[in-house]
Amino acid sequence: MRIAIVTGASSGLGREFVKQIIQKKRLDAVWVIARRESRLLEMAQGSPVPILPIPLDLTKQESFSALRALLEEEKPDIRILVNAAGFGKIGSYAEISISDSESMINLNCRALVQMTLLVLPYMTRGAQILEVCSVASFQPLPALNVYAASKAFVQSYSRSLRWELFGRGIHVTAVCPYWIKDTEFISIAEKTDHPKGVRHFPLASCAHGVVRAALRDGKLNLPVSTPGPVAFLQRFFTKFIPHELVIACWEGLRHL
Ligand SMILES: NC(=O)c1ccc[n+]([C@@H]2O[C@H](COP(=O)([O-])OP(=O)(O)OC[C@H]3O[C@@H](n4cnc5c(N)ncnc54)[C@H](OP(=O)(O)O)[C@@H]3O)[C@@H](O)[C@H]2O)c1
């Protein structure tokens, strides 16, 4: 059974990945993971390809035991894994709770690594892993401190894993979008003691275009996908401009 697994599938990028994977890839099923079961069941209704809703909280260790058992039972041929579950919080170290900081690290880093390691035994040549990262991974960002650090981890992890998997012919791409306006990310990020820590999100992109570019770049086995011109330019300039200067510009821009 040839399948795709998408985490964070109940909204935003994850949901868009499911739509486009169904249109573009010939698969027997798509397994979708998130906490909101009703959203996953809704997706399954009327889908041209069978969708298996797997309601799990990926910050809980028992979720991975359940997933491991399911994989051992079904022994699927996993053609594509998209790790899109993730969240950020806007605010300084004093404005974000310890529990939110811990959950960000748990979901954005630990769960992503665990998902990846869990599916790798079920992948063969030509399979793809898309680790959803962010332009926040290119430099440290005050007011998105833990989030940016968690995405720097994801970028570093994905790029080394890609080399480790060359021999097995498995593609790994870190997908690094700039702000996206049509997902729940920004509204969740603003639910802190300092919701206006970033005042505007100019030139924000759309989930559809980000996912289309990410799937293309994953197929090409690019190490990093920067969907859209803003993401590309940020990646380019942060290679040459000292990060302290980039941080100073960010500090100005986010207060405008
Ligand atoms: N939107 C942006 O501006 C932007 C920019 C760059 C990168 N990104 C990255 O893109 C990824 C997707 O974000 P998005 O924009 O699509 O945001 P979103 O609409 O909020 O989607 C996040 C997804 O993660 C799932 N999720 C959250 N906590 C979870 C948990 N504990 N266990 C399992 N699933 C969980 C959510 O589903 P449930 O709530 O149902 O669990 C939801 O499906 C994230 O990694 C984010 O960092 C977003």
Side-chain angles (χ1 to χ4, degrees), residues 12-37:
L13 282 188
R15 188 161 57 186
E16 184 62 31
F17 267 111
V18 174
K19 272 194 214 157
Q20 294 196 27
I21 284 172
I22 286 176
Q23 285 164 8
K24 289 179 183 163
K25 312 247 172 214
R26 274 212 221 123
L27 295 167
D28 300 312
V30 180
W31 293 8
V32 294
I33 300 174
R35 290 166 303 179
R36 285 170 289 181
E37 186 174 13

Side-chain angles (χ1 to χ4, degrees), residues 97-228:
S97 69
I98 292 180
S99 103
D100 275 345
S101 293
E102 273 180 354
S103 295
M104 260 185 279
I105 297 167
N106 256 336
L107 184 63
N108 299 356
C109 304
R110 193 191 52 78
L112 177 139
V113 171
Q114 274 192 282
M115 274 304 302
T116 305
L117 296 179
L118 209 54
V119 307
L120 272 171
Y122 300 91
M123 286 187 149
T124 53
R125 190 161 285 278
Q128 278 177 50
I129 299 174
L130 296 178
E131 307 287 23
V132 179
C133 191
S134 167
V135 292
S137 66
F138 297 139
Q139 71 293 291
L141 291 176
L144 279 167
N145 184 352
V146 175
Y147 176 71
S150 75
K151 294 298 182 178
F153 171 94
V154 173
Q155 197 203 132
S156 172
Y157 173 72
S158 311
R159 294 178 77 166
S160 334
L161 184 67
R162 175 172 173 272
W163 279 89
E164 290 175 359
L165 289 171
F166 264 143
R168 284 183 61 190
I170 296 172
H171 296 184
V172 184
T173 298
V175 179
C176 297
Y178 174 68
W179 296 117
I180 305 164
K181 55 187 165 208
D182 53 350
T183 76
E184 295 172 12
F185 180 89
I186 292 174
S187 61
I188 292 171
E190 285 180 327
K191 279 191 198 116
T192 62
D193 290 347
H194 193 198
K196 288 293 158 207
V198 179
R199 294 175 66 87
H200 298 289
F201 306 90
L203 307 172
S205 48
C206 292
H208 179 81
V210 168
V211 167
R212 195 181 49 203
L215 286 171
R216 179 201 60 211
D217 294 345
K219 205 169 164 188
L220 295 172
N221 199 14
L222 298 189
V224 175
S225 169
T226 41

